[in-house]
């Protein structure tokens, strides 16, 4: 917090009131001035959860970005002829065909896995994280311990290729399954015990002396419940005379081995293709307006222009225009007077205005550097293109003060 005159006035007033209260009570001890220092007002942070539920804004970049687990729409304006801002357009141009920006587009369904790779990682959205209630905490467990546990549950699987997040999910699922199996087995044991109690019969037995005994008989429900005397066993039938053993069948003759097939003759090697005739030298005159990146690459090769670092048709177009401009300047310098060489060079920097959290900034389209309206360099975009990597803490504090 900066020591402004307003802060000093509040501090002095707090010290005065503390002294006045102690004078009434008769105390004369010095106060703790640090405890009397005014607290800086806390900046209200926007709710990313509420921002994720806002309708799609057609005047902004359509890319979805991740903020504290919530997917919100990019706050920068889109470029002319595109649906993305410059940062997300560069990201999109560098991807293979069929892929998209990592978290999808705000006007489309929210993805479960990142879309900038063929097999993207699972996205941990804040409203889809599993509840931790009733689960064994696994964050403190090491990867090796989770692998050892899973190898006892799924012995034929190899878990070395799994990432820690996927390994933790599988570990928690197996823990739940083990708890469910334990619960079901205890239910079965209690059910068997109840069933065994129901299948016990008590009868009174009296001997010849007149003494009476209670006898418990455990039986299966399928047994006969009446206690009738067992019938006398029927006499065993006389064994029939053993019949003579049948003669053993003669062994079948072993089949004759089939003759081995003759080896097929090796195919003759195909004749080597004749070398293609040499192509005529390509005209090195520049093409006026290429339409595709392939045409730009062919043109740059003829003109000996280095395409390193160029991504997307826009970058190739700007590089081509810069080359044509240099040719034009060279022509003018040869035909013009000597006084023309003393003129100051024109500023060729192209800036694009945008706002971040309600604060206006300028982005250099050639270097990607970000400036404030006073053309002071403040930083560059981070890797995801959703926040600024500040060049100093001073510009970061200015942004926090000026944000909505």
């Amino acid at each position: 917090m900066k020591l402004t005159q307003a802060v000093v006035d509040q501090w002095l007033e707090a010290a005065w009131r503390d002294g006045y209260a102690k004078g009434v009570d008769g105390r004369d001890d010095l106060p703790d001035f640090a405890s009397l220092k005014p607290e800086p007002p806390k900046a209200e942070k926007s709710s990313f959860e509420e921002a994720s539920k806002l309708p799609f804004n057609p005047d902004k970049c359509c890319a979805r970005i991740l903020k504290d687990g919530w997917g919100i729409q990019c706050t920068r304006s889109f470029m002319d002829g595109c649906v993305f801002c410059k940062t997300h357009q560069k990201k999109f141009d560098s991807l293979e065909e069929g892929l998209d920006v990592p978290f999808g587009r705000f006007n489309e369904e929210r993805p479960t896995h990142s879309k900038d790779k063929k097999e993207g990682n699972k996205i941990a959205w804040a409203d889809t994280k599993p509840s931790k209630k009733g689960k064994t905490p696994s964050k403190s467990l090491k990867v090796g311990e989770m692998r050892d546990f899973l190898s006892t549950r799924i012995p034929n699987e190899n878990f070395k290729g799994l990432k820690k997040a996927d390994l933790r999910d599988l570990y928690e699922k197996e823990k739940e399954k083990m708890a469910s199996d334990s619960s079901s087995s205890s239910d079965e044991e209690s059910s068997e015990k109840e069933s065994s109690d129901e299948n016990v019969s008590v009868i009174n037995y009296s001997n010849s002396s007149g003494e009476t005994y209670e006898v418990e008989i455990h039986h299966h429900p399928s047994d006969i419940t009446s206690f009738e005397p067992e019938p006398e066993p029927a006499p065993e039938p006389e064994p029939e005379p053993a019949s003579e053993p049948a003669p053993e069948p003669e062994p079948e003759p072993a089949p004759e081995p089939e003759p081995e097939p003759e080896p097929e003759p090796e195919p003759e090697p195909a004749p080597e293709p004749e070398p293609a005739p040499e192509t005529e030298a390509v005209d090195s005159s520049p093409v006026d307006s290429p339409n595709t990146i392939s045409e730009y690459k062919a043109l740059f090769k003829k003109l000996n222009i280095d395409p390193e670092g160029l991504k997307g048709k826009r970058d190739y177009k700007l590089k081509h225009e810069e080359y044509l401009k240099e040719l034009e300047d060279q022509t003018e310098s040869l035909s013009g007077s000597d006084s023309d060489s003393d003129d100051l060079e024109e500023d060729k920097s192209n800036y694009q205005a945008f706002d971040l959290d309600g604060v206006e900034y300028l982005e250099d389209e050639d270097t990607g550097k970000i400036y404030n309206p006073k053309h002071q360099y403040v930083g560059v975009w981070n890797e995801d293109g959703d926040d600024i990597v500040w060049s100093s803490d001073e510009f970061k504090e200015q942004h926090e003060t000026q944000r909505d």
Side-chain angles (χ1 to χ4, degrees):
M1 183 176 65
K2 295 182 178 180
L3 193 62
T4 61
Q5 185 61 44
V7 174
V8 174
D9 293 343
Q10 294 178 16
W11 206 345
L12 292 173
E13 181 181 353
W16 181 87
R17 291 187 181 278
D18 180 80
Y20 180 82
K22 289 180 179 178
V24 174
D25 298 339
R27 293 174 293 160
D28 61 352
D29 55 318
L30 290 175
D32 181 9
F33 293 101
S35 63
L36 303 177
K37 182 180 178 181
E39 291 292 334
K42 297 182 179 180
E44 297 182 0
K45 296 184 178 179
S46 59
S47 173
F48 297 123
E49 180 180 1
E50 295 178 359
S52 66
K53 300 176 183 178
L54 294 176
F56 174 71
N57 187 353
D59 296 329
K60 298 294 182 180
C61 171
C62 73
R64 182 187 285 107
I65 58 178
L66 187 67
K67 286 288 188 180
D68 292 345
W70 299 99
I72 66 173
Q73 185 178 0
C74 177
T75 59
R76 296 189 294 273
S77 302
F78 56 81
M79 297 193 303
D80 294 338
C82 303
V83 296
F84 296 116
C85 63
K86 181 178 180 181
T87 301
H88 285 105
Q89 185 64 42
K90 285 184 177 180
K91 176 71 175 176
F92 179 75
D93 291 339
S94 64
L95 298 174
E96 298 180 7
E97 186 176 358
L99 301 180
D100 206 344
V101 287
F103 307 108
R105 309 186 182 199
F106 195 75
N107 56 345
E108 295 179 358
E109 186 177 356
R110 189 179 69 178
T112 58
H113 293 72
S114 57
K115 305 183 71 175
D116 58 339
K117 298 178 182 178
K118 291 183 179 180
E119 295 182 0
N121 297 328
K122 186 177 181 181
I123 304 175
W125 299 114
D127 56 347
T128 60
K129 291 181 179 178
S131 176
K132 298 181 180 178
K133 186 178 181 180
K135 293 185 178 181
T136 303
S138 59
K139 286 188 176 180
S140 59
L141 290 177
K142 297 181 180 179
V143 174
E145 295 175 351
M146 289 189 284
R147 286 176 182 165
D148 293 341
F149 171 77
L150 292 174
S151 62
T152 60
R153 300 284 297 177
I154 314 174
N156 297 328
E157 291 289 335
N158 186 6
F159 306 101
K160 290 185 178 180
L162 291 179
K163 295 183 178 180
K164 187 173 182 180
D166 298 332
L167 198 65
R168 184 184 297 114
D169 292 341
L170 186 58
Y171 173 84
E172 293 176 352
K173 288 180 181 178
E174 288 299 322
K175 275 288 188 181
E176 291 178 356
K177 187 177 179 181
M178 187 173 67
S180 177
D181 294 343
S182 176
S183 176
S184 61
S185 62
S186 62
D187 293 341
E188 290 177 0
E189 290 178 0
S190 61
S191 176
E192 290 177 359
K193 185 176 180 181
E194 291 175 359
S195 176
S196 63
D197 294 340
E198 293 175 357
N199 298 326
V200 176
S201 300
V202 180
I203 61 174
N204 295 324
Y205 173 75
S206 300
N207 59 11
S208 59
S209 302
E211 296 178 351
T212 304
Y213 301 94
E214 289 185 354
V215 180
E216 291 185 356
I217 299 178
H218 298 261
H219 57 86
H220 195 270
S222 61
D223 296 340
I224 300 175
T225 56
S226 61
F227 302 97
E228 297 179 358
E230 296 182 0
E232 295 181 0
E236 297 181 359
E238 295 181 359
E240 297 180 357
S243 58
E244 296 180 358
E248 296 182 358
E250 296 180 358
E252 297 180 358
E256 296 181 359
E258 297 180 358
E260 296 183 359
E262 296 181 0
E264 297 180 359
E266 296 182 359
E268 297 181 1
E272 296 182 359
E274 297 181 0
E278 297 182 357
T279 56
E280 297 181 358
V282 183
D283 186 11
S284 61
S285 58
V287 181
D288 291 337
S289 57
N291 294 322
T292 63
I293 294 178
S294 299
E295 293 181 0
Y296 273 111
K297 288 183 178 179
L299 175 61
F300 283 15
K301 187 175 182 181
K302 291 188 294 182
L303 300 178
N304 197 20
I305 300 177
D306 184 11
E308 183 179 357
L310 302 181
K311 295 181 179 179
K313 181 180 176 181
R314 180 182 179 85
D315 290 352
Y316 279 88
K317 183 179 179 182
L318 293 174
K319 188 69 175 181
H320 184 223
E321 292 176 353
E322 181 181 354
Y323 173 79
L324 296 178
K325 181 65 177 176
E326 290 178 359
L327 290 179
E328 184 180 352
D329 293 340
Q330 291 177 4
T331 305
E332 291 179 357
S333 63
L334 292 174
S335 60
S337 61
D338 296 336
S339 60
D340 295 338
S341 60
D342 298 330
D343 295 336
L344 295 175
E345 292 183 3
E346 183 181 358
D347 185 13
K348 299 183 180 63
S349 299
N350 295 322
Y351 297 95
Q352 182 179 3
F354 70 96
D355 69 287
L356 179 64
D357 299 330
V359 184
E360 294 291 334
Y361 292 99
L362 300 173
E363 181 178 357
D364 191 340
E365 295 183 354
D366 297 326
T367 63
K369 294 183 179 180
I370 302 174
Y371 301 85
N372 59 17
K374 298 180 181 180
H375 289 272
Q376 295 175 325
Y377 170 69
V378 298
V380 294
W381 291 113
N382 62 4
E383 184 178 359
D384 294 334
D386 56 359
D387 203 352
I388 295 176
V389 179
W390 304 98
S391 61
S392 66
D393 293 339
E394 179 182 358
F395 293 117
K396 183 177 181 182
E397 292 177 0
Q398 291 180 4
H399 178 82
E400 294 294 334
T401 305
Q402 300 175 6
R403 63 185 297 179
D404 294 337

